Amino acid sequence: MPAYAHPDVLVSTDWVAEHLSDPGVRIVESDEDRALYTQGHIPGAVEIDWAVDLQNQVERDYIDRAAFERLCAERGISNDTTVVFYGDKNNWWACYAFWVFKLYGHKDCRIMNGGRKRWELDGRPWSNERVSVPHAHYTAQEQDASIRALRDEVLKHQKAGKQLLDVRSPEEYRGERMHMPDYPNEGAVRGGHIPGALNVPWPMNCNDDGTFKTAKELEKLYVKDLKMKRRSPTIAYCRIGERSSLTWFVLTYLLGFGNVKNYDGSWLEWGNCVRVPIVKGAEPGGPAAASPAPVMHA
Amino acid sequence: MESIQARLGTLTAEFADLDAREKLELLVDFANGLPPLPPEFEARKAVEDRRVHECQTPVFLWTEVDGGIARLVAEVAPEAPTVKGFVAILAEAINGRPAVDVAALSDDMLERMGLADVLGILRTRGLRAIVARVKRGFAEKTAGA
């Protein structure tokens, strides 16, 4: 049976339980619902919240390098700390935090396979005690452009017909779901997908207990069925770049794809851009489905 | 009797002076206090479309009016304590009061509670959707009353 390309980045709940008081390890919870951490977390785990801690509150961007260094220092994370992320929703936010840590060059990041759900199913204890950790010193790298795609690059990538993955639900991909009742400010003014993007909804990466599917199952899905090439540059996106960071993690670390970027602007940016190509419906479309050339008026 | 808005003000006043961690702890306290779904609603859940589709986690809401008095009944998945706590606060403010008064519920309760800063912009959209859904539900039941 084929193994994951980088099996070291996944740790089991057993491993975490054995390393709770290891000073070289910091356990970090990242959730969709922040109050889950407050309600009960793995004993000794600290929280890093995607919205409040990792995002710049003024510009639509991540916190800058200095803020990332402060965040790590406050959470007791130094450059040589093994940081293990876990959370709710199949570790989707844990993968997002993992990705931001990689963006700033943190060396040893891991994911606790199965996240909160597996910990709960294993009958392990939760703690609601406040956690205080010793302050650390941290020096971050410049952002790693090799794992983050910005809009102009996505446009070029799309026009060149390179591998694109849309990991949203089929309804979002087809452009049917966008504006919901009582929900005036959903975000995007257009629905559909980036031409050429294949649709692999992110839950397809995971089992019911929150763990990742086996290397064999993932390989069948992406490589055999969808004919995706490991060495071709790939960009993954969703609505705001969270679900696609899980797919980025799967392709990069579990399947060994060599060049995967997360487009964190995702549909919330693309669906609002003026004159970018969009395809509606179930078919991926292709680079030819570009927007028409502007009409010149005399 | 205290108006819905005043009652909500009393319930949420405590939040204003708390730090982020304390706010979340208080919210979890409210979440733990939301009563389980009454049995008669358990059966209705299967046949009525009461799910709030804007929320990613399962949330079911009923806006009941009996003799002009409002009753908000809710079931929120345990994996969503923020939503659960928020709905519990709404139910406590609304239940037992005139249904026509629900319309006066202010839309900025999240700001007043200082929760917008703790939760971030994107998350608060789902909570706003719940307020809108509750107001609309009671408005439909009391139309023409």
Side-chain angles (χ1 to χ4, degrees), chain A residues 239-260:
Chain A
R239 195 176 69 93
I240 54 169
E242 13 64 294
R243 288 173 278 185
S244 49
S245 57
L246 183 136
T247 298
W248 166 84
F249 175 84
V250 166
L251 294 178
T252 304
Y253 293 96
L254 304 187
L255 282 175
F257 275 53
N259 180 355
V260 188

Side-chain angles (χ1 to χ4, degrees), chain A residues 269-281:
Chain A
E269 177 172 71
W270 197 271
N272 284 318
C273 282
V274 175
R275 202 175 276 161
V276 295
I278 288 175
V279 168
K280 290 182 95 80

Side-chain angles (χ1 to χ4, degrees), chain A residues 6-38:
Chain A
H6 303 279
D8 292 351
V9 298
L10 271 190
V11 295
S12 65
T13 56
D14 276 341
W15 188 96
V16 169
E18 284 159 17
H19 288 81
L20 290 183
S21 42
D22 184 335
V25 174
R26 182 70 60 222
I27 314 292
V28 174
E29 176 160 342
S30 288
D31 293 321
E32 159 85 20
D33 191 327
R34 286 196 77 176
L36 279 171
Y37 173 84
T38 312

